Structure formats: structure tokens, C-alpha cells
Amino acid sequence: MSSTKKKSIFLYTGYTPRATALKNRVDKATDGIAKITLIDSERSITEKKDGDSDSIVILDLPNIKQPAIHTIKKVKNCVTTSKILAIHIYTSRLLIDPLLEAGIHGYLTYEPEPTHLRSAFKMVLNDGIYLPSEIYHP
């Protein structure tokens, strides 16, 4: 992530030890230059309202108590200009496509490597859709 403006990343996850580990991965992927805010409830994410076009919301879907599609739609309605990345356990396009249709800008598998996070951030901030190469089949 390069730019003179510091990026804001909102990490929505529910499980505290995982939240810390995931935050560390995101911090490493951004070389420590992004402002990372942990969010642990639907109320907290909806209170954020909109960020800007340089902000990213990461949804750690397996660790959020609400259904994935519900969470994506709720967040999408609140943060219309932010980019949304979803993390889930799925590796099949059959299961990932509904998440894309619900409005995410990118998808990462459950334990994303910092290099995958970095690639995803770059792609979505440039208005692309990110899928890991092992999932993407045109």
C-alpha cells in the first residue's frame, strides 16, 4: 500500500485471539502504514457509516455470528464508498459467487498470507475484484 495518505482498514471479526493475529497479518501486509481498527459487533460497523474510497472493510465471516450474506449487505449499506474484502473458509466458486453478488470487492481464504492481503488491497483500491489465483477460473 503506497500513497502519501494513510489508509484506514476496519477489521470486523468476533473472536479476540484471531482478531489479534489477523490484525498483525494486515499490519505486516501494509508495512505498518495503515490505521487498523478492530470492530467486534454489527452495531459498531454500522456506526462507522462511510469511510472514503481509500478505506477497506475486512469481514472475517467465519467469526461473525450473523449469516455471511446478511453481514455483507448490512455493511454494504453503511459503507457505500469503502471497499469490502471478505475472508471465509470457502474454496469453491459455487460458494464464493453469492458473496460477490452480495457486494464484496474481493475474497480471501481463511488464513490469508500478507502477500495475498497486499495484492487484494491494491486490486480493490484500484476498483478491481480480487480473488486468489487458486480460486479464480475465468
Side-chain angles (χ1 to χ4, degrees):
M1 292 182 81
S2 62
S3 173
T4 55
K5 184 178 178 191
K6 193 168 191 172
K7 306 289 188 253
S8 293
I9 298 176
F10 301 98
L11 178 53
Y12 181 11
T13 185
Y15 185 64
T16 305
R18 173 157 169 83
T20 302
L22 196 51
K23 182 179 180 185
N24 290 340
R25 282 178 187 247
V26 171
D27 191 49
K28 183 176 181 180
T30 64
D31 299 318
I33 62 168
K35 178 183 179 220
I36 304 165
T37 304
L38 288 174
I39 296 171
D40 63 359
S41 72
E42 186 174 286
R43 194 179 106 242
S44 295
I45 192 72
T46 57
E47 287 173 354
K48 289 291 171 219
K49 294 298 178 195
D50 238 328
D52 57 40
S53 60
D54 284 340
S55 66
I56 298 173
V57 176
I58 301 174
L59 304 175
D60 186 22
L61 293 171
N63 295 304
I64 298 172
K65 293 182 183 182
Q66 298 296 320
I69 300 298
H70 166 85
T71 299
I72 292 166
K73 288 182 178 181
K74 189 84 159 176
V75 170
K76 185 82 175 159
N77 285 334
C78 294
V79 292
T80 58
T81 61
S82 297
K83 304 301 181 182
I84 301 173
L85 285 173
I87 295 175
H88 214 317
I89 60 173
Y90 303 148
T91 57
S92 164
R93 283 295 299 263
L94 183 65
L95 299 171
I96 296 167
D97 283 345
L99 304 178
L100 291 164
E101 291 166 11
I104 64 171
H105 300 97
Y107 179 84
L108 293 155
T109 53
Y110 192 66
E111 293 293 339
E113 293 296 323
T115 55
H116 289 151
L117 286 161
R118 192 174 296 118
S119 295
F121 298 154
K122 183 177 179 181
M123 178 72 76
V124 301
L125 289 172
N126 287 313
D127 296 323
I129 300 293
Y130 180 82
L131 289 172
S133 59
E134 64 271 13
I135 293 174
Y136 180 69
H137 300 290

Coordinates of all heavy atoms in Angstrom, one line a residue, residues 28-119:
K28 N 1.3 -6.3 8.9 CA 2.5 -6.7 8.1 C 2.3 -6.5 6.6 O 3.2 -6.0 5.9 CB 2.8 -8.2 8.4 CG 4.0 -8.7 7.7 CD 4.3 -10.1 8.1 CE 5.6 -10.6 7.4 NZ 5.9 -12.0 7.8
A29 N 1.1 -6.8 6.1 CA 0.8 -6.6 4.7 C 0.9 -5.1 4.2 O 1.1 -4.8 3.1 CB -0.6 -7.2 4.3
T30 N 0.6 -4.2 5.2 CA 0.6 -2.8 4.8 C 1.9 -2.1 5.3 O 2.0 -0.9 5.2 CB -0.6 -2.1 5.5 OG1 -0.5 -2.1 6.9 CG2 -1.9 -2.7 5.1
D31 N 2.8 -2.9 5.7 CA 4.1 -2.4 6.2 C 3.9 -1.4 7.3 O 4.7 -0.4 7.5 CB 4.9 -1.7 5.0 CG 5.2 -2.7 3.9 OD1 5.6 -3.9 4.3 OD2 5.1 -2.4 2.8
G32 N 2.9 -1.6 8.1 CA 2.6 -0.8 9.3 C 2.2 0.6 9.0 O 2.1 1.5 9.9
I33 N 1.8 0.9 7.7 CA 1.4 2.3 7.4 C -0.1 2.5 7.4 O -0.6 3.7 7.1 CB 2.0 2.8 6.1 CG1 1.5 1.9 4.9 CG2 3.5 2.8 6.2 CD1 1.9 2.5 3.6
A34 N -0.9 1.5 7.6 CA -2.4 1.7 7.6 C -2.9 1.8 9.0 O -2.3 1.2 10.0 CB -3.1 0.5 6.9
K35 N -4.0 2.6 9.2 CA -4.6 2.6 10.5 C -5.6 1.5 10.5 O -6.6 1.5 9.8 CB -5.3 4.0 10.7 CG -6.1 4.1 12.0 CD -6.8 5.4 12.1 CE -7.5 5.4 13.4 NZ -8.8 6.0 13.3
I36 N -5.4 0.6 11.4 CA -6.3 -0.6 11.5 C -7.2 -0.5 12.8 O -6.7 -0.4 13.9 CB -5.5 -1.9 11.6 CG1 -4.5 -2.0 10.4 CG2 -6.4 -3.1 11.6 CD1 -3.4 -3.0 10.5
T37 N -8.5 -0.6 12.5 CA -9.4 -0.5 13.6 C -10.2 -1.8 13.7 O -10.8 -2.3 12.8 CB -10.5 0.6 13.4 OG1 -9.8 1.9 13.2 CG2 -11.4 0.8 14.5
L38 N -10.1 -2.5 14.9 CA -10.9 -3.7 15.2 C -12.3 -3.4 15.5 O -12.6 -2.5 16.3 CB -10.3 -4.5 16.3 CG -8.9 -5.2 16.0 CD1 -8.4 -5.8 17.3 CD2 -9.1 -6.2 14.9
I39 N -13.2 -4.1 14.9 CA -14.7 -3.9 15.1 C -15.2 -5.3 15.5 O -14.9 -6.3 14.8 CB -15.4 -3.3 13.9 CG1 -14.8 -1.9 13.6 CG2 -16.9 -3.3 14.0 CD1 -15.2 -1.4 12.3
D40 N -16.0 -5.3 16.6 CA -16.4 -6.6 17.0 C -17.9 -6.8 17.1 O -18.4 -7.8 17.7 CB -15.8 -6.9 18.4 CG -16.3 -5.9 19.5 OD1 -17.1 -5.0 19.1 OD2 -15.9 -6.1 20.6
S41 N -18.7 -5.9 16.5 CA -20.1 -6.1 16.5 C -20.8 -5.4 15.3 O -20.2 -4.5 14.7 CB -20.8 -5.5 17.8 OG -20.7 -4.1 17.8
E42 N -22.0 -5.9 14.9 CA -22.7 -5.3 13.8 C -23.0 -3.8 14.1 O -22.9 -3.0 13.3 CB -24.0 -6.1 13.6 CG -24.7 -5.6 12.3 CD -25.9 -6.5 12.0 OE1 -25.6 -7.6 11.5 OE2 -27.0 -6.1 12.2
R43 N -23.4 -3.6 15.4 CA -23.7 -2.2 15.8 C -22.5 -1.3 15.5 O -22.6 -0.2 15.0 CB -24.1 -2.1 17.2 CG -24.8 -0.7 17.5 CD -25.3 -0.7 19.0 NE -24.3 0.2 19.7 CZ -23.6 -0.2 20.7 NH1 -23.6 -1.3 21.2 NH2 -22.7 0.7 21.2
S44 N -21.3 -1.8 15.9 CA -20.1 -1.0 15.7 C -19.8 -0.7 14.3 O -19.4 0.4 13.9 CB -18.9 -1.7 16.3 OG -19.0 -1.8 17.7
I45 N -20.0 -1.7 13.4 CA -19.7 -1.4 12.0 C -20.7 -0.5 11.4 O -20.4 0.4 10.6 CB -19.5 -2.7 11.2 CG1 -18.9 -2.5 9.8 CG2 -20.9 -3.5 11.0 CD1 -17.5 -2.2 9.8
T46 N -22.0 -0.6 11.8 CA -23.0 0.3 11.2 C -22.8 1.7 11.7 O -23.2 2.6 11.0 CB -24.4 -0.2 11.4 OG1 -24.6 -0.4 12.8 CG2 -24.6 -1.6 10.7
E47 N -22.2 1.9 12.9 CA -22.0 3.2 13.4 C -20.8 3.9 12.7 O -20.7 5.1 12.7 CB -21.6 3.2 14.9 CG -22.8 2.9 15.7 CD -22.4 2.6 17.2 OE1 -21.2 2.6 17.5 OE2 -23.4 2.5 18.0
K48 N -20.0 3.1 12.0 CA -18.9 3.7 11.3 C -19.4 4.6 10.1 O -18.7 5.5 9.7 CB -17.9 2.6 10.7 CG -17.1 2.0 11.8 CD -16.1 2.9 12.4 CE -15.5 2.3 13.6 NZ -15.2 3.3 14.7
K49 N -20.5 4.2 9.6 CA -21.1 4.8 8.4 C -20.0 4.7 7.3 O -19.4 3.8 7.2 CB -21.6 6.2 8.7 CG -22.7 6.3 9.6 CD -23.9 5.6 9.0 CE -25.1 5.5 10.0 NZ -26.1 4.6 9.6
D50 N -19.9 5.8 6.6 CA -19.0 5.7 5.4 C -17.5 6.2 5.8 O -17.3 7.1 6.5 CB -19.5 6.5 4.3 CG -19.7 5.7 3.0 OD1 -18.9 4.7 2.9 OD2 -20.6 6.0 2.3
G51 N -16.6 5.4 5.2 CA -15.2 5.9 5.2 C -15.0 6.7 4.0 O -15.9 7.5 3.6
D52 N -14.0 6.5 3.3 CA -13.8 7.1 2.0 C -13.3 6.0 1.0 O -13.3 4.9 1.3 CB -12.8 8.2 2.1 CG -11.4 7.8 2.6 OD1 -10.9 6.7 2.3 OD2 -10.8 8.5 3.4
S53 N -13.1 6.4 -0.2 CA -12.8 5.5 -1.3 C -11.4 4.8 -1.0 O -11.1 3.8 -1.7 CB -12.8 6.1 -2.6 OG -11.8 7.2 -2.7
D54 N -10.6 5.3 -0.1 CA -9.4 4.6 0.2 C -9.5 3.8 1.5 O -8.5 3.3 1.9 CB -8.3 5.7 0.5 CG -7.8 6.3 -0.8 OD1 -7.9 5.7 -1.9 OD2 -7.2 7.4 -0.7
S55 N -10.6 3.6 2.0 CA -10.8 2.7 3.2 C -11.3 1.3 2.8 O -11.9 1.2 1.8 CB -11.7 3.4 4.2 OG -13.0 3.4 3.7
I56 N -10.9 0.4 3.6 CA -11.2 -1.0 3.3 C -11.9 -1.6 4.6 O -11.4 -1.4 5.7 CB -10.0 -1.8 3.0 CG1 -9.3 -1.3 1.7 CG2 -10.3 -3.3 2.8 CD1 -8.0 -1.9 1.3
V57 N -12.9 -2.4 4.4 CA -13.5 -3.1 5.5 C -13.3 -4.6 5.2 O -13.6 -5.1 4.1 CB -15.1 -2.9 5.5 CG1 -15.7 -3.7 6.6 CG2 -15.4 -1.4 5.8
I58 N -12.6 -5.2 6.2 CA -12.4 -6.7 6.0 C -13.4 -7.4 6.9 O -13.4 -7.1 8.1 CB -10.9 -7.0 6.5 CG1 -9.9 -6.3 5.6 CG2 -10.7 -8.5 6.4 CD1 -8.5 -6.5 6.0
L59 N -14.1 -8.3 6.3 CA -15.1 -9.1 7.1 C -14.5 -10.5 7.3 O -14.3 -11.2 6.3 CB -16.4 -9.2 6.3 CG -17.1 -7.9 5.9 CD1 -18.3 -8.2 5.0 CD2 -17.4 -7.1 7.1
D60 N -14.3 -10.8 8.5 CA -13.8 -12.2 8.9 C -15.1 -13.0 9.1 O -15.5 -13.3 10.3 CB -12.9 -12.0 10.2 CG -12.3 -13.3 10.5 OD1 -12.1 -14.2 9.7 OD2 -11.9 -13.5 11.7
L61 N -15.7 -13.4 8.0 CA -17.0 -14.0 8.1 C -17.2 -15.2 9.0 O -18.2 -15.3 9.7 CB -17.5 -14.3 6.7 CG -17.8 -13.0 5.8 CD1 -18.0 -13.4 4.4 CD2 -18.9 -12.2 6.4
P62 N -16.3 -16.2 9.1 CA -16.5 -17.3 10.0 C -16.6 -16.9 11.4 O -17.1 -17.7 12.2 CB -15.3 -18.2 9.7 CG -14.7 -17.8 8.4 CD -15.0 -16.3 8.3
N63 N -16.1 -15.8 11.8 CA -16.0 -15.4 13.2 C -17.0 -14.3 13.5 O -16.9 -13.6 14.5 CB -14.6 -15.0 13.5 CG -13.7 -16.1 13.4 OD1 -13.9 -17.1 14.1 ND2 -12.7 -16.0 12.6
I64 N -18.0 -14.1 12.6 CA -19.1 -13.1 12.9 C -20.3 -14.0 13.0 O -20.6 -14.9 12.2 CB -19.2 -12.1 11.7 CG1 -17.9 -11.3 11.5 CG2 -20.4 -11.2 11.9 CD1 -17.9 -10.4 10.3
K65 N -21.1 -13.7 14.0 CA -22.2 -14.6 14.4 C -23.4 -14.5 13.4 O -24.3 -15.4 13.4 CB -22.7 -14.2 15.8 CG -21.7 -14.6 16.8 CD -22.1 -14.4 18.2 CE -21.0 -14.7 19.2 NZ -21.2 -14.6 20.5
Q66 N -23.5 -13.5 12.6 CA -24.6 -13.4 11.6 C -24.2 -14.1 10.3 O -23.1 -14.3 10.0 CB -24.8 -11.9 11.3 CG -25.2 -11.1 12.5 CD -26.6 -11.5 13.1 OE1 -27.5 -11.8 12.3 NE2 -26.7 -11.5 14.4
P67 N -25.3 -14.5 9.6 CA -25.0 -15.1 8.3 C -24.2 -14.2 7.3 O -24.4 -13.0 7.4 CB -26.4 -15.4 7.7 CG -27.3 -15.4 8.9 CD -26.7 -14.4 9.9
A68 N -23.4 -14.8 6.5 CA -22.4 -14.1 5.7 C -23.1 -13.0 4.8 O -22.8 -11.9 4.7 CB -21.6 -15.0 4.8
I69 N -24.2 -13.5 4.1 CA -24.9 -12.6 3.1 C -25.5 -11.4 3.9 O -25.4 -10.3 3.5 CB -25.9 -13.3 2.3 CG1 -25.2 -14.4 1.5 CG2 -26.7 -12.4 1.4 CD1 -24.2 -14.0 0.4
H70 N -26.1 -11.7 5.0 CA -26.7 -10.6 5.9 C -25.7 -9.6 6.3 O -25.9 -8.4 6.2 CB -27.3 -11.3 7.1 CG -27.7 -10.3 8.2 ND1 -28.9 -9.5 8.2 CD2 -27.0 -9.8 9.3 CE1 -28.8 -8.7 9.2 NE2 -27.7 -8.9 9.9
T71 N -24.5 -10.1 6.7 CA -23.4 -9.2 7.1 C -22.9 -8.3 6.0 O -22.8 -7.1 6.1 CB -22.3 -10.0 7.7 OG1 -22.7 -10.8 8.9 CG2 -21.1 -9.1 8.1
I72 N -22.7 -9.0 4.8 CA -22.2 -8.2 3.7 C -23.2 -7.1 3.3 O -22.8 -5.9 3.1 CB -22.0 -9.1 2.5 CG1 -20.8 -10.1 2.8 CG2 -21.7 -8.3 1.2 CD1 -20.6 -11.2 1.9
K73 N -24.5 -7.5 3.2 CA -25.5 -6.5 2.8 C -25.6 -5.3 3.8 O -25.7 -4.2 3.4 CB -26.8 -7.1 2.5 CG -26.8 -8.0 1.3 CD -28.2 -8.6 1.0 CE -28.1 -9.4 -0.3 NZ -29.4 -10.0 -0.6
K74 N -25.6 -5.7 5.1 CA -25.7 -4.6 6.1 C -24.5 -3.7 6.0 O -24.6 -2.5 6.1 CB -25.7 -5.3 7.5 CG -26.0 -4.5 8.6 CD -27.5 -4.3 8.8 CE -27.8 -3.8 10.1 NZ -29.2 -3.6 10.3
V75 N -23.3 -4.2 5.9 CA -22.1 -3.4 5.8 C -22.1 -2.6 4.5 O -21.8 -1.4 4.5 CB -20.8 -4.3 5.9 CG1 -19.6 -3.5 5.6 CG2 -20.7 -4.9 7.3
K76 N -22.5 -3.2 3.4 CA -22.5 -2.5 2.1 C -23.4 -1.3 2.2 O -23.1 -0.3 1.6 CB -23.0 -3.5 1.1 CG -23.0 -3.0 -0.3 CD -21.6 -3.1 -0.9 CE -21.6 -2.7 -2.4 NZ -20.3 -2.3 -2.8
N77 N -24.6 -1.4 2.9 CA -25.5 -0.3 3.0 C -24.9 0.8 3.9 O -25.3 2.0 3.7 CB -26.8 -0.8 3.6 CG -27.6 -1.5 2.6 OD1 -27.5 -1.3 1.4 ND2 -28.5 -2.4 3.1
C78 N -24.0 0.5 4.8 CA -23.5 1.5 5.7 C -22.2 2.2 5.1 O -21.9 3.4 5.4 CB -23.2 0.9 7.0 SG -24.6 0.4 7.9
V79 N -21.4 1.4 4.4 CA -20.1 2.0 4.0 C -20.1 1.9 2.4 O -19.3 1.1 1.9 CB -18.9 1.2 4.6 CG1 -18.8 1.5 6.1 CG2 -19.0 -0.3 4.4
T80 N -20.8 2.7 1.8 CA -21.0 2.6 0.4 C -19.8 3.0 -0.5 O -19.7 2.5 -1.6 CB -22.2 3.6 -0.1 OG1 -21.9 4.9 0.3 CG2 -23.5 3.1 0.5
T81 N -18.9 3.8 0.1 CA -17.7 4.1 -0.7 C -16.4 3.3 -0.3 O -15.5 3.3 -1.1 CB -17.3 5.6 -0.6 OG1 -17.1 5.9 0.8 CG2 -18.4 6.5 -1.1
S82 N -16.5 2.6 0.8 CA -15.4 1.8 1.2 C -15.4 0.5 0.4 O -16.4 0.0 0.0 CB -15.5 1.4 2.7 OG -15.4 2.6 3.5
K83 N -14.2 -0.1 0.3 CA -14.1 -1.4 -0.4 C -14.3 -2.5 0.6 O -13.8 -2.3 1.8 CB -12.7 -1.5 -1.1 CG -12.4 -0.4 -2.0 CD -13.4 -0.4 -3.2 CE -13.0 0.8 -4.1 NZ -14.0 0.9 -5.2
I84 N -14.9 -3.6 0.3 CA -15.2 -4.7 1.2 C -14.5 -5.9 0.7 O -14.7 -6.4 -0.4 CB -16.7 -5.0 1.3 CG1 -17.4 -3.7 1.8 CG2 -16.9 -6.1 2.3 CD1 -18.9 -3.8 1.8
L85 N -13.6 -6.5 1.6 CA -13.0 -7.8 1.4 C -13.6 -8.7 2.4 O -13.7 -8.4 3.6 CB -11.5 -7.7 1.7 CG -10.6 -7.0 0.6 CD1 -9.2 -6.8 1.2 CD2 -10.6 -7.8 -0.6
A86 N -13.9 -9.9 1.9 CA -14.4 -11.0 2.8 C -13.4 -12.1 3.0 O -12.7 -12.5 2.0 CB -15.7 -11.5 2.2
I87 N -13.3 -12.6 4.2 CA -12.4 -13.8 4.5 C -13.4 -14.9 4.9 O -14.3 -14.6 5.7 CB -11.4 -13.5 5.6 CG1 -10.4 -12.4 5.2 CG2 -10.8 -14.8 6.0 CD1 -9.5 -12.0 6.3
H88 N -13.2 -16.0 4.3 CA -14.1 -17.2 4.6 C -13.3 -18.5 4.4 O -12.2 -18.4 3.9 CB -15.4 -17.1 3.9 CG -16.6 -17.7 4.6 ND1 -16.5 -18.8 5.4 CD2 -17.8 -17.2 4.7 CE1 -17.7 -19.0 6.0 NE2 -18.5 -18.1 5.6
I89 N -13.9 -19.6 4.7 CA -13.3 -20.9 4.6 C -13.5 -21.5 3.2 O -12.9 -22.5 2.8 CB -13.7 -21.9 5.7 CG1 -15.2 -22.1 5.6 CG2 -13.3 -21.4 7.0 CD1 -15.8 -23.1 6.5
Y90 N -14.4 -20.9 2.4 CA -14.7 -21.4 1.1 C -13.6 -21.4 0.1 O -12.8 -20.5 0.1 CB -15.9 -20.6 0.5 CG -17.1 -20.5 1.3 CD1 -17.9 -19.4 1.2 CD2 -17.6 -21.5 2.2 CE1 -19.1 -19.3 2.0 CE2 -18.7 -21.4 2.9 CZ -19.5 -20.3 2.8 OH -20.6 -20.2 3.5
T91 N -13.5 -22.5 -0.7 CA -12.6 -22.5 -1.8 C -13.2 -22.8 -3.1 O -12.6 -22.9 -4.2 CB -11.5 -23.6 -1.5 OG1 -12.1 -24.8 -1.4 CG2 -10.6 -23.2 -0.3
S92 N -14.5 -22.9 -3.1 CA -15.3 -23.2 -4.4 C -16.0 -21.9 -4.8 O -16.6 -21.2 -4.1 CB -16.3 -24.3 -4.1 OG -17.3 -24.3 -5.1
R93 N -15.9 -21.7 -6.1 CA -16.6 -20.5 -6.7 C -18.1 -20.6 -6.5 O -18.8 -19.6 -6.4 CB -16.3 -20.4 -8.2 CG -15.0 -19.8 -8.6 CD -14.8 -18.4 -8.1 NE -15.7 -17.4 -8.7 CZ -15.5 -16.7 -9.7 NH1 -14.3 -16.7 -10.3 NH2 -16.4 -15.8 -10.2
L94 N -18.7 -21.8 -6.4 CA -20.1 -22.0 -6.2 C -20.5 -21.4 -4.9 O -21.6 -20.8 -4.8 CB -20.4 -23.5 -6.1 CG -21.8 -23.9 -6.0 CD1 -22.7 -23.5 -7.2 CD2 -22.0 -25.4 -5.8
L95 N -19.6 -21.4 -3.9 CA -19.9 -20.8 -2.6 C -19.5 -19.3 -2.5 O -20.1 -18.5 -1.7 CB -19.3 -21.6 -1.5 CG -19.8 -23.0 -1.3 CD1 -18.9 -23.8 -0.4 CD2 -21.2 -23.1 -0.9
I96 N -18.5 -18.9 -3.3 CA -17.9 -17.6 -3.2 C -18.8 -16.6 -4.1 O -18.9 -15.5 -3.7 CB -16.5 -17.6 -3.7 CG1 -15.6 -18.4 -2.7 CG2 -15.9 -16.2 -3.8 CD1 -14.2 -18.7 -3.1
D97 N -19.3 -17.1 -5.2 CA -20.0 -16.2 -6.1 C -21.2 -15.5 -5.4 O -21.4 -14.3 -5.6 CB -20.5 -17.0 -7.3 CG -19.4 -17.2 -8.3 OD1 -18.4 -16.5 -8.2 OD2 -19.6 -18.0 -9.3
P98 N -22.0 -16.1 -4.5 CA -23.0 -15.4 -3.8 C -22.5 -14.2 -3.0 O -23.2 -13.2 -2.8 CB -23.7 -16.5 -3.0 CG -23.5 -17.7 -3.7 CD -22.1 -17.6 -4.3
L99 N -21.3 -14.4 -2.4 CA -20.7 -13.3 -1.6 C -20.3 -12.1 -2.6 O -20.6 -11.0 -2.2 CB -19.4 -13.8 -0.9 CG -19.6 -15.0 0.0 CD1 -18.2 -15.4 0.6 CD2 -20.6 -14.8 1.1
L100 N -19.8 -12.5 -3.7 CA -19.5 -11.4 -4.7 C -20.8 -10.7 -5.2 O -20.9 -9.5 -5.3 CB -18.8 -12.0 -5.9 CG -17.4 -12.5 -5.7 CD1 -16.9 -13.4 -6.8 CD2 -16.4 -11.3 -5.5
E101 N -21.8 -11.5 -5.4 CA -23.1 -10.9 -5.8 C -23.7 -10.1 -4.7 O -24.5 -9.1 -5.0 CB -24.1 -12.0 -6.2 CG -23.7 -12.7 -7.5 CD -24.4 -14.1 -7.7 OE1 -25.4 -14.4 -7.0 OE2 -24.0 -14.8 -8.6
A102 N -23.4 -10.4 -3.5 CA -23.9 -9.6 -2.3 C -23.2 -8.2 -2.2 O -23.7 -7.3 -1.6 CB -23.8 -10.3 -1.0
G103 N -22.0 -8.1 -2.9 CA -21.4 -6.8 -2.9 C -20.0 -6.7 -2.4 O -19.4 -5.6 -2.3
I104 N -19.3 -7.8 -2.2 CA -17.9 -7.7 -1.8 C -17.0 -7.3 -3.0 O -17.4 -7.6 -4.1 CB -17.3 -8.9 -1.1 CG1 -17.3 -10.1 -2.1 CG2 -18.1 -9.2 0.2 CD1 -16.6 -11.4 -1.5
H105 N -15.9 -6.7 -2.7 CA -14.9 -6.3 -3.8 C -13.8 -7.3 -3.9 O -13.0 -7.2 -4.8 CB -14.4 -4.9 -3.5 CG -15.5 -3.9 -3.5 ND1 -16.0 -3.5 -2.3 CD2 -16.1 -3.3 -4.5 CE1 -17.0 -2.6 -2.5 NE2 -17.1 -2.4 -3.8
G106 N -13.7 -8.2 -3.0 CA -12.6 -9.2 -3.0 C -12.8 -10.3 -2.0 O -13.6 -10.1 -1.0
Y107 N -12.1 -11.4 -2.2 CA -12.3 -12.6 -1.3 C -10.9 -13.1 -1.0 O -10.1 -13.2 -1.9 CB -13.2 -13.6 -2.0 CG -13.3 -14.9 -1.2 CD1 -14.3 -14.9 -0.2 CD2 -12.5 -16.0 -1.4 CE1 -14.5 -16.0 0.6 CE2 -12.6 -17.1 -0.6 CZ -13.6 -17.1 0.4 OH -13.8 -18.2 1.2
L108 N -10.8 -13.5 0.3 CA -9.5 -14.2 0.7 C -9.9 -15.4 1.5 O -10.9 -15.4 2.2 CB -8.7 -13.2 1.6 CG -8.2 -12.0 0.9 CD1 -8.0 -10.9 1.9 CD2 -6.9 -12.3 0.2
T109 N -9.0 -16.4 1.4 CA -9.3 -17.6 2.1 C -8.9 -17.4 3.6 O -8.3 -16.4 4.0 CB -8.5 -18.8 1.6 OG1 -7.1 -18.5 1.4 CG2 -9.0 -19.2 0.2
Y110 N -9.3 -18.4 4.5 CA -9.3 -18.2 5.9 C -8.0 -17.7 6.5 O -8.1 -16.8 7.4 CB -9.7 -19.5 6.6 CG -10.0 -19.3 8.0 CD1 -11.1 -18.6 8.5 CD2 -9.3 -19.9 9.0 CE1 -11.4 -18.4 9.8 CE2 -9.6 -19.8 10.4 CZ -10.7 -19.0 10.7 OH -11.0 -18.9 12.1
E111 N -6.9 -18.1 6.1 CA -5.6 -17.7 6.7 C -4.8 -17.0 5.6 O -3.8 -17.5 5.1 CB -4.8 -18.8 7.3 CG -5.4 -19.5 8.5 CD -5.5 -18.6 9.7 OE1 -4.7 -17.6 9.8 OE2 -6.3 -18.8 10.6
P112 N -5.2 -15.8 5.2 CA -4.5 -15.1 4.1 C -3.1 -14.7 4.4 O -2.8 -14.2 5.5 CB -5.4 -13.9 3.8 CG -6.0 -13.6 5.1 CD -6.2 -14.9 5.8
E113 N -2.2 -15.0 3.5 CA -0.8 -14.6 3.6 C -0.7 -13.1 3.4 O -1.5 -12.5 2.7 CB 0.1 -15.3 2.6 CG 0.2 -16.8 2.8 CD 0.9 -17.1 4.1 OE1 1.8 -16.4 4.5 OE2 0.4 -18.1 4.8
P114 N 0.3 -12.4 4.1 CA 0.4 -11.0 3.9 C 0.5 -10.6 2.4 O 0.0 -9.6 2.0 CB 1.7 -10.6 4.7 CG 1.7 -11.6 5.8 CD 1.2 -12.9 5.1
T115 N 1.2 -11.4 1.6 CA 1.3 -11.1 0.1 C -0.1 -11.1 -0.5 O -0.3 -10.3 -1.4 CB 2.2 -12.1 -0.6 OG1 1.8 -13.4 -0.3 CG2 3.7 -12.0 -0.1
H116 N -1.0 -12.1 -0.1 CA -2.3 -12.1 -0.7 C -3.1 -10.8 -0.2 O -3.8 -10.2 -1.0 CB -3.1 -13.3 -0.3 CG -2.5 -14.6 -1.0 ND1 -2.6 -15.8 -0.4 CD2 -1.9 -14.7 -2.2 CE1 -2.1 -16.7 -1.2 NE2 -1.7 -16.1 -2.3
L117 N -2.9 -10.5 1.0 CA -3.6 -9.3 1.5 C -3.1 -8.1 0.8 O -4.0 -7.2 0.3 CB -3.3 -9.1 3.0 CG -4.1 -10.0 4.0 CD1 -3.4 -10.1 5.3 CD2 -5.5 -9.6 4.1
R118 N -1.8 -7.9 0.6 CA -1.3 -6.8 -0.1 C -1.8 -6.7 -1.6 O -2.3 -5.7 -2.0 CB 0.2 -6.9 -0.2 CG 0.9 -5.7 -0.6 CD 2.5 -5.8 -0.5 NE 2.9 -5.9 0.9 CZ 3.5 -7.0 1.4 NH1 3.8 -8.0 0.6 NH2 3.8 -7.0 2.7
S119 N -1.9 -7.9 -2.2 CA -2.4 -7.9 -3.6 C -3.9 -7.5 -3.6 O -4.4 -6.8 -4.5 CB -2.3 -9.3 -4.2 OG -0.9 -9.6 -4.4

